[in-house]
Amino acid sequence: MLRTAVLSLLLALCGYAAADWLTHGFQVWTDEGARRLEVALQPVDAPRVTVDGPGVAAPDLPALLAQGGGVTIADFIYTRCQTVCLSLGSTFQQLQAALRADAEAGHPGNVRLLSISFDGAHDHPAALRAYAQGLRADPALWRFVRVPDAAQEQALLRRLGVVVVPDGRGDYEHNAALLVFDARGRMVRVFDVAEQQLALDYARHLARSAP
């Protein structure tokens, strides 16, 4: 009986230690949660991938993020999407309205929006322009780009932890999040789509705190 009790205790301790390690001290229980915690603890540099899009003049993604020295809230979309991207588009429209209200109230926060297509073969600049117009995006606040090189596109997705899986019917299953980048081109926080106000407030604070 004593031996059985000791073995049970050891198994319980091992299980506890494993759970503690896997969940970063029980702070997260999912891969996405772990990703968000890791980014908050260790910002991720955006890779130097070539981007293009309507009205965009920058040699690569870090240079685009650095333009104007502000903070960027980004998402990943593709223009043919009829599911998650519709929710992301609505969220970004609300963020754009809030940023306009900031400016009209005399409190511009130097925060911008960026939608990055992961369907670079289809979402050429003309397609992105039409998509942006459909969302009534203000180019001064909300830009759209793609990564035309397929290998660079995959490298970007891996680097930022964006999961994109072809569904076999020409569309994609993908995770959705709001990624906050600082003026140095670092992804510093990841928020759920439902946390748009938290993402905006954090971006505002980061922009105000920038030297």
Side-chain angles (χ1 to χ4, degrees):
M1 293 292 292
L2 178 60
R3 184 180 180 183
T4 301
V6 170
L7 287 174
S8 297
L9 178 60
L10 287 174
L11 286 172
L13 290 173
C14 288
Y16 180 91
D20 178 67
W21 179 75
L22 288 171
T23 62
H24 293 265
F26 298 99
Q27 295 180 72
V28 292
W29 289 94
T30 65
D31 288 342
E32 184 65 12
R35 171 196 179 209
R36 293 175 187 177
L37 176 61
E38 288 166 359
V39 169
L41 295 175
Q42 184 61 52
V44 178
D45 292 324
R48 293 192 175 279
V49 297
T50 301
V51 293
D52 66 9
V56 171
D60 54 39
L61 181 57
L64 178 63
L65 294 170
Q67 285 181 350
V71 175
T72 302
I73 303 175
D75 67 353
F76 279 81
I77 54 93
Y78 69 108
T79 62
R80 294 174 294 146
C81 179
Q82 296 299 313
T83 55
V84 176
C85 301
L86 296 179
S87 176
L88 286 168
S90 176
T91 294
F92 267 46
Q93 285 178 322
Q94 294 172 52
L95 291 172
Q96 176 178 255
L99 294 175
R100 280 178 170 165
D102 287 348
E104 291 170 359
H107 305 293
N110 206 12
V111 176
R112 293 163 298 179
L113 308 174
L114 176 65
S115 290
I116 305 172
S117 170
F118 53 74
D119 188 13
H122 177 273
D123 288 341
H124 45 80
L128 290 174
R129 179 179 292 105
Y131 190 72
Q133 291 172 345
L135 290 171
R136 298 184 179 178
D138 179 350
L141 293 174
W142 185 1
R143 296 170 293 182
F144 292 76
V145 299
R146 65 165 182 166
V147 180
D149 182 88
Q152 289 189 2
E153 180 180 88
Q154 291 303 309
L156 175 64
L157 297 178
R158 287 194 302 270
R159 179 67 171 162
L160 301 184
V162 179
V163 178
V164 176
V165 181
D167 67 0
R169 302 185 299 274
D171 289 310
Y172 301 91
E173 298 292 336
H174 62 101
N175 56 348
L178 307 179
L179 316 179
V180 180
F181 291 84
D182 64 14
R184 296 166 57 187
R186 302 181 307 162
M187 181 172 68
V188 292
R189 287 292 296 271
V190 178
F191 293 92
D192 185 79
V193 176
E195 300 174 318
Q196 67 183 70
Q197 189 60 50
L198 286 176
L200 179 58
D201 289 343
Y202 179 79
R204 285 166 168 160
H205 170 75
L206 193 62
R208 287 195 301 266
S209 303

